[in-house]
Short mmCIF file of all heavy atoms in Angstrom, two decimals:
data_model
loop_
_atom_site.label_atom_id
_atom_site.label_comp_id
_atom_site.label_asym_id
_atom_site.label_seq_id
_atom_site.Cartn_x
_atom_site.Cartn_y
_atom_site.Cartn_z
N MET A 1 128.67 100.72 92.24
CA MET A 1 128.44 99.36 91.85
C MET A 1 129.79 98.66 91.66
O MET A 1 130.70 99.22 91.11
CB MET A 1 127.66 99.29 90.55
CG MET A 1 127.47 97.91 90.07
SD MET A 1 126.54 97.62 88.57
CE MET A 1 125.43 98.95 88.51
N SER A 2 129.82 97.46 92.07
CA SER A 2 131.03 96.71 91.97
C SER A 2 131.26 96.24 90.51
O SER A 2 130.41 95.55 89.95
CB SER A 2 130.95 95.46 92.89
OG SER A 2 132.07 94.65 92.69
N GLN A 3 132.34 96.68 89.93
CA GLN A 3 132.63 96.32 88.53
C GLN A 3 133.19 94.96 88.36
O GLN A 3 133.21 94.44 87.24
CB GLN A 3 133.60 97.35 87.93
CG GLN A 3 133.04 98.75 87.87
CD GLN A 3 131.94 98.91 86.89
OE1 GLN A 3 131.85 98.19 85.89
NE2 GLN A 3 131.04 99.84 87.12
N ASN A 4 133.64 94.33 89.42
CA ASN A 4 134.26 93.03 89.27
C ASN A 4 133.33 91.86 89.31
O ASN A 4 133.69 90.72 89.19
CB ASN A 4 135.39 92.86 90.29
CG ASN A 4 134.86 92.99 91.73
OD1 ASN A 4 133.70 93.23 91.93
ND2 ASN A 4 135.74 92.84 92.67
N ARG A 5 132.04 92.10 89.51
CA ARG A 5 131.02 91.06 89.50
C ARG A 5 130.15 91.20 88.25
O ARG A 5 129.76 92.31 87.87
CB ARG A 5 130.14 91.16 90.73
CG ARG A 5 130.84 90.71 91.97
CD ARG A 5 129.79 90.49 93.09
NE ARG A 5 128.67 91.38 92.97
CZ ARG A 5 128.40 92.41 93.77
NH1 ARG A 5 129.18 92.67 94.79
NH2 ARG A 5 127.34 93.17 93.58
N LEU A 6 129.84 90.08 87.65
CA LEU A 6 128.99 90.12 86.46
C LEU A 6 127.56 90.50 86.81
O LEU A 6 126.92 91.30 86.15
CB LEU A 6 129.00 88.77 85.73
CG LEU A 6 128.09 88.64 84.50
CD1 LEU A 6 128.50 89.67 83.47
CD2 LEU A 6 128.16 87.25 83.94
N PHE A 7 127.04 89.95 87.92
CA PHE A 7 125.66 90.19 88.33
C PHE A 7 125.58 91.15 89.51
O PHE A 7 126.15 90.90 90.56
CB PHE A 7 124.99 88.84 88.70
CG PHE A 7 124.99 87.83 87.62
CD1 PHE A 7 125.83 86.76 87.67
CD2 PHE A 7 124.11 87.97 86.56
CE1 PHE A 7 125.82 85.82 86.64
CE2 PHE A 7 124.09 87.05 85.52
CZ PHE A 7 124.96 85.98 85.55
N PRO A 8 124.87 92.27 89.34
CA PRO A 8 124.73 93.23 90.43
C PRO A 8 123.79 92.66 91.49
O PRO A 8 122.95 91.79 91.18
CB PRO A 8 124.22 94.48 89.77
CG PRO A 8 123.50 93.95 88.55
CD PRO A 8 124.25 92.73 88.11
N THR A 9 123.86 93.15 92.67
CA THR A 9 122.93 92.77 93.71
C THR A 9 121.60 93.43 93.47
O THR A 9 121.50 94.36 92.64
CB THR A 9 123.43 93.22 95.11
OG1 THR A 9 123.48 94.63 95.16
CG2 THR A 9 124.79 92.60 95.45
N CYS A 10 120.59 93.00 94.19
CA CYS A 10 119.25 93.67 94.08
C CYS A 10 119.37 95.15 94.46
O CYS A 10 118.79 95.99 93.80
CB CYS A 10 118.24 92.97 94.96
SG CYS A 10 117.79 91.32 94.35
N ARG A 11 120.08 95.41 95.50
CA ARG A 11 120.22 96.84 95.93
C ARG A 11 120.87 97.68 94.82
O ARG A 11 120.44 98.78 94.53
CB ARG A 11 121.08 96.91 97.22
CG ARG A 11 121.21 98.29 97.75
CD ARG A 11 121.94 98.28 99.03
NE ARG A 11 121.09 97.60 100.00
CZ ARG A 11 121.12 97.84 101.33
NH1 ARG A 11 122.01 98.65 101.80
NH2 ARG A 11 120.34 97.14 102.10
N GLU A 12 121.93 97.18 94.24
CA GLU A 12 122.63 97.91 93.14
C GLU A 12 121.70 98.06 91.95
O GLU A 12 121.61 99.10 91.35
CB GLU A 12 123.88 97.16 92.72
CG GLU A 12 124.97 97.14 93.72
CD GLU A 12 126.12 96.20 93.40
OE1 GLU A 12 125.88 95.16 92.77
OE2 GLU A 12 127.27 96.52 93.78
N THR A 13 120.94 97.03 91.61
CA THR A 13 120.05 97.04 90.49
C THR A 13 118.94 98.05 90.72
O THR A 13 118.63 98.88 89.83
CB THR A 13 119.43 95.65 90.25
OG1 THR A 13 120.47 94.75 89.94
CG2 THR A 13 118.42 95.68 89.10
N GLN A 14 118.34 98.07 91.91
CA GLN A 14 117.29 99.04 92.17
C GLN A 14 117.78 100.46 92.17
O GLN A 14 117.10 101.35 91.65
CB GLN A 14 116.62 98.70 93.52
CG GLN A 14 115.88 97.40 93.43
CD GLN A 14 115.35 96.87 94.76
OE1 GLN A 14 115.52 97.56 95.82
NE2 GLN A 14 114.77 95.69 94.77
N SER A 15 118.98 100.66 92.64
CA SER A 15 119.60 101.99 92.57
C SER A 15 119.77 102.44 91.12
O SER A 15 119.46 103.58 90.73
CB SER A 15 120.95 101.99 93.29
OG SER A 15 121.55 103.24 93.18
N LEU A 16 120.30 101.52 90.29
CA LEU A 16 120.47 101.85 88.89
C LEU A 16 119.15 102.07 88.16
O LEU A 16 119.03 102.98 87.30
CB LEU A 16 121.28 100.75 88.18
CG LEU A 16 122.75 100.70 88.57
CD1 LEU A 16 123.37 99.41 88.02
CD2 LEU A 16 123.47 101.90 88.01
N LEU A 17 118.16 101.32 88.52
CA LEU A 17 116.81 101.51 87.89
C LEU A 17 116.30 102.89 88.23
O LEU A 17 115.72 103.59 87.39
CB LEU A 17 115.86 100.44 88.34
CG LEU A 17 116.08 99.05 87.76
CD1 LEU A 17 115.25 98.00 88.49
CD2 LEU A 17 115.72 99.06 86.28
N SER A 18 116.51 103.33 89.46
CA SER A 18 116.06 104.67 89.87
C SER A 18 116.88 105.74 89.10
O SER A 18 116.30 106.71 88.64
CB SER A 18 116.27 104.85 91.36
OG SER A 18 115.37 104.01 92.06
N GLU A 19 118.16 105.57 89.03
CA GLU A 19 119.00 106.51 88.30
C GLU A 19 118.61 106.61 86.83
O GLU A 19 118.65 107.68 86.23
CB GLU A 19 120.50 106.11 88.38
CG GLU A 19 121.13 106.36 89.69
CD GLU A 19 122.62 105.95 89.70
OE1 GLU A 19 123.32 106.22 88.68
OE2 GLU A 19 123.03 105.35 90.71
N ALA A 20 118.23 105.46 86.26
CA ALA A 20 117.88 105.44 84.85
C ALA A 20 116.64 106.24 84.53
O ALA A 20 116.37 106.58 83.39
CB ALA A 20 117.69 103.97 84.39
N GLN A 21 115.84 106.57 85.56
CA GLN A 21 114.68 107.43 85.33
C GLN A 21 115.07 108.84 85.00
O GLN A 21 114.33 109.58 84.38
CB GLN A 21 113.78 107.40 86.55
CG GLN A 21 113.18 106.08 86.87
CD GLN A 21 112.23 105.58 85.77
OE1 GLN A 21 111.34 106.27 85.37
NE2 GLN A 21 112.51 104.38 85.30
N ASP A 22 116.28 109.24 85.44
CA ASP A 22 116.71 110.61 85.29
C ASP A 22 117.84 110.84 84.29
O ASP A 22 118.07 111.93 83.82
CB ASP A 22 117.20 111.19 86.64
CG ASP A 22 116.08 111.18 87.68
OD1 ASP A 22 114.93 111.47 87.27
OD2 ASP A 22 116.34 110.87 88.84
N ARG A 23 118.56 109.75 83.93
CA ARG A 23 119.68 109.88 82.99
C ARG A 23 119.90 108.56 82.27
O ARG A 23 119.43 107.52 82.75
CB ARG A 23 120.95 110.30 83.72
CG ARG A 23 121.50 109.27 84.67
CD ARG A 23 122.76 109.72 85.34
NE ARG A 23 123.27 108.72 86.26
CZ ARG A 23 124.16 107.76 85.93
NH1 ARG A 23 124.61 107.69 84.70
NH2 ARG A 23 124.58 106.92 86.85
N ASN A 24 120.61 108.63 81.18
CA ASN A 24 120.98 107.39 80.47
C ASN A 24 122.16 106.72 81.20
O ASN A 24 123.15 107.41 81.50
CB ASN A 24 121.39 107.73 79.02
CG ASN A 24 120.19 108.14 78.19
OD1 ASN A 24 119.10 107.65 78.46
ND2 ASN A 24 120.42 109.02 77.24
N LEU A 25 122.02 105.43 81.40
CA LEU A 25 123.09 104.68 82.06
C LEU A 25 124.11 104.26 80.98
O LEU A 25 123.77 104.03 79.83
CB LEU A 25 122.54 103.44 82.71
CG LEU A 25 121.56 103.66 83.86
CD1 LEU A 25 121.03 102.31 84.38
CD2 LEU A 25 122.18 104.43 85.00
N PRO A 26 125.37 104.11 81.41
CA PRO A 26 126.37 103.57 80.49
C PRO A 26 125.95 102.14 80.05
O PRO A 26 125.25 101.45 80.79
CB PRO A 26 127.64 103.52 81.37
CG PRO A 26 127.40 104.49 82.45
CD PRO A 26 125.95 104.50 82.68
N LEU A 27 126.45 101.75 78.89
CA LEU A 27 126.08 100.47 78.32
C LEU A 27 126.33 99.28 79.29
O LEU A 27 125.45 98.43 79.44
CB LEU A 27 126.85 100.22 77.04
CG LEU A 27 126.60 98.87 76.35
CD1 LEU A 27 125.14 98.71 75.97
CD2 LEU A 27 127.51 98.74 75.10
N LEU A 28 127.47 99.26 79.95
CA LEU A 28 127.75 98.16 80.83
C LEU A 28 126.75 98.09 81.97
O LEU A 28 126.30 96.99 82.33
CB LEU A 28 129.18 98.33 81.47
CG LEU A 28 129.57 97.27 82.48
CD1 LEU A 28 129.57 95.87 81.84
CD2 LEU A 28 130.92 97.61 83.08
N HIS A 29 126.38 99.18 82.53
CA HIS A 29 125.34 99.18 83.60
C HIS A 29 124.00 98.74 83.06
O HIS A 29 123.28 97.94 83.73
CB HIS A 29 125.21 100.54 84.20
CG HIS A 29 126.38 100.95 85.03
ND1 HIS A 29 126.68 102.28 85.30
CD2 HIS A 29 127.37 100.23 85.63
CE1 HIS A 29 127.74 102.32 86.03
NE2 HIS A 29 128.22 101.08 86.25
N ARG A 30 123.63 99.16 81.87
CA ARG A 30 122.31 98.68 81.28
C ARG A 30 122.33 97.23 81.05
O ARG A 30 121.33 96.54 81.33
CB ARG A 30 122.06 99.44 79.98
CG ARG A 30 121.77 100.90 80.13
CD ARG A 30 121.22 101.55 78.87
NE ARG A 30 121.93 101.22 77.65
CZ ARG A 30 122.80 101.98 77.07
NH1 ARG A 30 123.15 103.14 77.56
NH2 ARG A 30 123.36 101.61 75.91
N VAL A 31 123.43 96.65 80.60
CA VAL A 31 123.50 95.24 80.34
C VAL A 31 123.43 94.45 81.68
O VAL A 31 122.69 93.47 81.79
CB VAL A 31 124.79 94.87 79.58
CG1 VAL A 31 125.02 93.36 79.61
CG2 VAL A 31 124.73 95.42 78.18
N ARG A 32 124.15 94.93 82.68
CA ARG A 32 124.10 94.23 83.98
C ARG A 32 122.73 94.28 84.61
O ARG A 32 122.26 93.30 85.17
CB ARG A 32 125.15 94.88 84.90
CG ARG A 32 126.59 94.60 84.41
CD ARG A 32 127.60 95.29 85.29
NE ARG A 32 127.76 94.46 86.48
CZ ARG A 32 127.96 94.96 87.69
NH1 ARG A 32 128.08 96.29 87.86
NH2 ARG A 32 128.11 94.20 88.72
N VAL A 33 122.05 95.40 84.47
CA VAL A 33 120.66 95.51 85.01
C VAL A 33 119.77 94.54 84.25
O VAL A 33 118.96 93.79 84.86
CB VAL A 33 120.16 96.95 84.90
CG1 VAL A 33 118.63 96.98 85.10
CG2 VAL A 33 120.84 97.83 85.89
N ARG A 34 119.86 94.49 82.94
CA ARG A 34 119.00 93.63 82.17
C ARG A 34 119.21 92.14 82.53
O ARG A 34 118.30 91.40 82.67
CB ARG A 34 119.30 93.82 80.68
CG ARG A 34 118.36 92.95 79.82
CD ARG A 34 117.92 93.54 78.59
NE ARG A 34 117.57 94.92 78.68
CZ ARG A 34 116.88 95.58 77.76
NH1 ARG A 34 116.46 94.88 76.73
NH2 ARG A 34 116.64 96.83 77.89
N VAL A 35 120.51 91.77 82.68
CA VAL A 35 120.80 90.37 83.06
C VAL A 35 120.16 90.08 84.49
O VAL A 35 119.57 89.02 84.67
CB VAL A 35 122.32 90.12 83.09
CG1 VAL A 35 122.65 88.81 83.79
CG2 VAL A 35 122.86 90.14 81.65
N HIS A 36 120.28 91.00 85.40
CA HIS A 36 119.74 90.81 86.72
C HIS A 36 118.22 90.66 86.60
O HIS A 36 117.62 89.82 87.27
CB HIS A 36 120.12 91.96 87.63
CG HIS A 36 119.62 91.77 89.02
ND1 HIS A 36 120.38 91.13 90.01
CD2 HIS A 36 118.46 92.12 89.62
CE1 HIS A 36 119.68 91.12 91.12
NE2 HIS A 36 118.50 91.72 90.94
N LEU A 37 117.56 91.50 85.82
CA LEU A 37 116.10 91.44 85.69
C LEU A 37 115.61 90.14 85.10
O LEU A 37 114.54 89.68 85.42
CB LEU A 37 115.58 92.64 84.84
CG LEU A 37 115.74 94.00 85.48
CD1 LEU A 37 115.25 95.10 84.54
CD2 LEU A 37 115.02 94.10 86.82
N TRP A 38 116.42 89.51 84.24
CA TRP A 38 116.06 88.20 83.71
C TRP A 38 115.92 87.14 84.78
O TRP A 38 115.20 86.18 84.63
CB TRP A 38 117.07 87.72 82.70
CG TRP A 38 117.00 88.37 81.33
CD1 TRP A 38 115.92 89.05 80.78
CD2 TRP A 38 118.03 88.49 80.42
NE1 TRP A 38 116.25 89.52 79.54
CE2 TRP A 38 117.56 89.20 79.29
CE3 TRP A 38 119.37 88.06 80.40
CZ2 TRP A 38 118.31 89.45 78.19
CZ3 TRP A 38 120.14 88.31 79.27
CH2 TRP A 38 119.62 89.01 78.20
N THR A 39 116.65 87.35 85.89
CA THR A 39 116.69 86.33 86.91
C THR A 39 116.00 86.68 88.22
O THR A 39 115.89 85.85 89.09
CB THR A 39 118.15 85.96 87.25
OG1 THR A 39 118.81 87.11 87.80
CG2 THR A 39 118.94 85.48 86.05
N CYS A 40 115.54 87.90 88.35
CA CYS A 40 115.01 88.37 89.64
C CYS A 40 113.62 88.94 89.47
O CYS A 40 113.45 90.05 88.95
CB CYS A 40 115.96 89.36 90.26
SG CYS A 40 115.41 89.99 91.88
N THR A 41 112.60 88.25 89.92
CA THR A 41 111.25 88.75 89.78
C THR A 41 110.97 89.94 90.70
O THR A 41 110.18 90.82 90.33
CB THR A 41 110.20 87.63 90.07
OG1 THR A 41 110.45 87.13 91.35
CG2 THR A 41 110.29 86.52 89.06
N ALA A 42 111.60 90.03 91.84
CA ALA A 42 111.38 91.16 92.73
C ALA A 42 111.88 92.46 92.09
O ALA A 42 111.15 93.45 92.13
CB ALA A 42 112.11 90.90 94.06
N CYS A 43 113.05 92.44 91.49
CA CYS A 43 113.55 93.62 90.83
C CYS A 43 112.78 93.95 89.55
O CYS A 43 112.61 95.12 89.21
CB CYS A 43 115.03 93.50 90.55
SG CYS A 43 116.06 93.63 92.06
N THR A 44 112.28 92.94 88.89
CA THR A 44 111.44 93.19 87.72
C THR A 44 110.18 93.89 88.13
O THR A 44 109.74 94.85 87.53
CB THR A 44 111.11 91.83 87.05
OG1 THR A 44 112.33 91.23 86.60
CG2 THR A 44 110.17 92.04 85.83
N ARG A 45 109.56 93.47 89.25
CA ARG A 45 108.36 94.14 89.78
C ARG A 45 108.70 95.56 90.19
O ARG A 45 107.91 96.49 89.92
CB ARG A 45 107.77 93.39 90.97
CG ARG A 45 106.82 92.31 90.52
CD ARG A 45 106.07 91.71 91.74
NE ARG A 45 106.51 90.34 91.78
CZ ARG A 45 107.14 89.78 92.83
NH1 ARG A 45 107.43 90.48 93.89
NH2 ARG A 45 107.51 88.53 92.76
N PHE A 46 109.82 95.75 90.82
CA PHE A 46 110.25 97.11 91.22
C PHE A 46 110.38 98.00 89.97
O PHE A 46 109.93 99.12 89.96
CB PHE A 46 111.63 97.05 91.94
CG PHE A 46 112.13 98.41 92.32
CD1 PHE A 46 111.66 99.08 93.43
CD2 PHE A 46 113.11 99.00 91.55
CE1 PHE A 46 112.16 100.32 93.75
CE2 PHE A 46 113.64 100.23 91.89
CZ PHE A 46 113.17 100.94 92.99
N SER A 47 111.01 97.49 88.91
CA SER A 47 111.17 98.23 87.66
C SER A 47 109.78 98.62 87.10
O SER A 47 109.57 99.74 86.65
CB SER A 47 111.92 97.38 86.66
OG SER A 47 112.04 98.04 85.42
N GLU A 48 108.84 97.71 87.09
CA GLU A 48 107.50 97.94 86.59
C GLU A 48 106.81 99.01 87.47
O GLU A 48 106.10 99.85 86.92
CB GLU A 48 106.69 96.65 86.56
CG GLU A 48 107.17 95.64 85.54
CD GLU A 48 106.60 94.28 85.71
OE1 GLU A 48 105.91 94.00 86.68
OE2 GLU A 48 106.81 93.44 84.80
N GLN A 49 106.99 98.96 88.75
CA GLN A 49 106.35 99.92 89.64
C GLN A 49 106.90 101.32 89.45
O GLN A 49 106.12 102.28 89.42
CB GLN A 49 106.57 99.49 91.11
CG GLN A 49 105.76 98.26 91.46
CD GLN A 49 106.11 97.68 92.78
OE1 GLN A 49 107.14 98.05 93.41
NE2 GLN A 49 105.32 96.74 93.28
N ILE A 50 108.20 101.48 89.29
CA ILE A 50 108.72 102.85 89.12
C ILE A 50 108.33 103.38 87.75
O ILE A 50 108.09 104.55 87.58
CB ILE A 50 110.24 102.95 89.39
CG1 ILE A 50 111.09 102.11 88.46
CG2 ILE A 50 110.55 102.67 90.84
CD1 ILE A 50 112.56 102.34 88.58
N HIS A 51 108.22 102.48 86.74
CA HIS A 51 107.75 102.88 85.42
C HIS A 51 106.32 103.37 85.51
O HIS A 51 105.99 104.44 84.99
CB HIS A 51 107.90 101.76 84.44
CG HIS A 51 107.46 102.10 83.07
ND1 HIS A 51 108.16 102.93 82.22
CD2 HIS A 51 106.31 101.73 82.41
CE1 HIS A 51 107.46 103.06 81.09
NE2 HIS A 51 106.36 102.36 81.20
N PHE A 52 105.48 102.61 86.22
CA PHE A 52 104.08 102.99 86.42
C PHE A 52 103.96 104.34 87.12
O PHE A 52 103.17 105.22 86.70
CB PHE A 52 103.35 101.92 87.22
CG PHE A 52 101.95 102.30 87.58
CD1 PHE A 52 100.91 102.21 86.67
CD2 PHE A 52 101.69 102.78 88.87
CE1 PHE A 52 99.61 102.58 87.02
CE2 PHE A 52 100.39 103.15 89.20
CZ PHE A 52 99.37 103.01 88.29
N LEU A 53 104.75 104.54 88.21
CA LEU A 53 104.70 105.80 88.94
C LEU A 53 105.12 106.96 88.11
O LEU A 53 104.55 108.04 88.18
CB LEU A 53 105.55 105.69 90.21
CG LEU A 53 105.00 104.80 91.33
CD1 LEU A 53 106.05 104.61 92.43
CD2 LEU A 53 103.74 105.35 91.87
N ARG A 54 106.16 106.79 87.29
CA ARG A 54 106.61 107.88 86.43
C ARG A 54 105.54 108.25 85.41
O ARG A 54 105.25 109.43 85.20
CB ARG A 54 107.91 107.46 85.71
CG ARG A 54 108.49 108.56 84.92
CD ARG A 54 109.88 108.22 84.42
NE ARG A 54 110.51 109.30 83.77
CZ ARG A 54 111.32 110.22 84.35
NH1 ARG A 54 111.52 110.14 85.64
NH2 ARG A 54 111.84 111.17 83.66
N LYS A 55 104.90 107.24 84.81
CA LYS A 55 103.79 107.54 83.86
C LYS A 55 102.64 108.24 84.57
O LYS A 55 102.05 109.17 84.01
CB LYS A 55 103.30 106.23 83.22
CG LYS A 55 104.28 105.65 82.26
CD LYS A 55 104.40 106.49 81.03
CE LYS A 55 105.27 105.83 80.01
NZ LYS A 55 105.48 106.59 78.84
N ALA A 56 102.30 107.82 85.78
CA ALA A 56 101.19 108.45 86.50
C ALA A 56 101.52 109.89 86.85
O ALA A 56 100.65 110.74 86.74
CB ALA A 56 100.94 107.66 87.81
N MET A 57 102.72 110.16 87.24
CA MET A 57 103.15 111.57 87.55
C MET A 57 103.13 112.41 86.29
O MET A 57 102.72 113.59 86.33
CB MET A 57 104.49 111.59 88.18
CG MET A 57 104.56 110.92 89.55
SD MET A 57 103.38 111.60 90.72
CE MET A 57 104.08 113.20 91.00
N GLN A 58 103.53 111.85 85.13
CA GLN A 58 103.44 112.62 83.90
C GLN A 58 102.00 112.95 83.56
O GLN A 58 101.70 114.08 83.11
CB GLN A 58 104.09 111.83 82.77
CG GLN A 58 105.57 111.72 82.89
CD GLN A 58 106.20 110.80 81.85
OE1 GLN A 58 105.51 109.98 81.25
NE2 GLN A 58 107.51 110.85 81.73
N ARG A 59 101.10 112.00 83.76
CA ARG A 59 99.67 112.28 83.47
C ARG A 59 99.09 113.31 84.41
O ARG A 59 98.28 114.11 84.01
CB ARG A 59 98.87 110.98 83.53
CG ARG A 59 99.15 110.06 82.37
CD ARG A 59 98.28 108.85 82.42
NE ARG A 59 98.62 107.98 81.30
CZ ARG A 59 98.18 106.77 81.18
NH1 ARG A 59 97.40 106.24 82.08
NH2 ARG A 59 98.56 106.05 80.14
N LEU A 60 99.50 113.29 85.68
CA LEU A 60 99.02 114.30 86.63
C LEU A 60 99.48 115.69 86.19
O LEU A 60 98.71 116.64 86.37
CB LEU A 60 99.54 114.00 88.04
CG LEU A 60 98.83 112.94 88.82
CD1 LEU A 60 99.54 112.68 90.15
CD2 LEU A 60 97.40 113.37 89.08
N GLY A 61 100.65 115.78 85.66
CA GLY A 61 101.13 117.06 85.20
C GLY A 61 100.36 117.61 83.99
O GLY A 61 100.38 118.81 83.77
N LYS A 62 99.72 116.76 83.24
CA LYS A 62 98.96 117.18 82.04
C LYS A 62 97.55 117.69 82.40
O LYS A 62 96.95 118.38 81.64
CB LYS A 62 98.84 116.05 81.04
CG LYS A 62 100.17 115.71 80.43
CD LYS A 62 100.02 114.56 79.45
CE LYS A 62 101.36 114.15 78.86
NZ LYS A 62 101.26 113.05 77.96
N ASP A 63 97.04 117.31 83.56
CA ASP A 63 95.65 117.66 83.94
C ASP A 63 95.60 119.05 84.48
O ASP A 63 96.41 119.69 84.89
CB ASP A 63 95.10 116.68 85.00
CG ASP A 63 94.89 115.31 84.42
OD1 ASP A 63 94.85 115.20 83.18
OD2 ASP A 63 94.72 114.38 85.21
#
């Protein structure tokens, strides 16, 4: 991710959202993702979808 830009691109944001499913992101990356999500409905939907899929997979594992 480019550190010299305040706002990450959609591609960078989606990559970070995926990474965040497996590990904690550094504070700067979390802030940049949050700022991007405030302004981008497509990435917000992507975030909701991966969250839904993760929950669904967890429930499948319990059955």
Side-chain angles (χ1 to χ4, degrees):
M1 175 179 332
S2 175
Q3 296 292 333
N4 58 357
R5 286 194 330 250
L6 178 60
F7 300 106
T9 65
C10 289
R11 184 177 292 207
E12 291 169 330
T13 299
Q14 291 170 5
S15 176
L16 287 170
L17 287 167
S18 293
E19 286 181 42
Q21 296 297 308
D22 299 322
R23 66 179 180 91
N24 290 328
L25 297 176
L27 177 61
L28 177 61
H29 290 158
R30 290 192 315 261
V31 168
R32 292 178 78 217
V33 166
R34 182 144 322 194
V35 168
H36 183 90
L37 292 177
W38 284 336
T39 63
C40 182
T41 56
C43 287
T44 299
R45 272 189 246 117
F46 177 80
S47 177
E48 292 167 353
Q49 290 169 349
I50 62 173
H51 179 73
F52 173 81
L53 289 172
R54 185 169 186 92
K55 290 289 186 183
M57 294 305 290
Q58 289 173 344
R59 287 184 182 169
L60 280 174
K62 291 180 182 178
D63 291 343

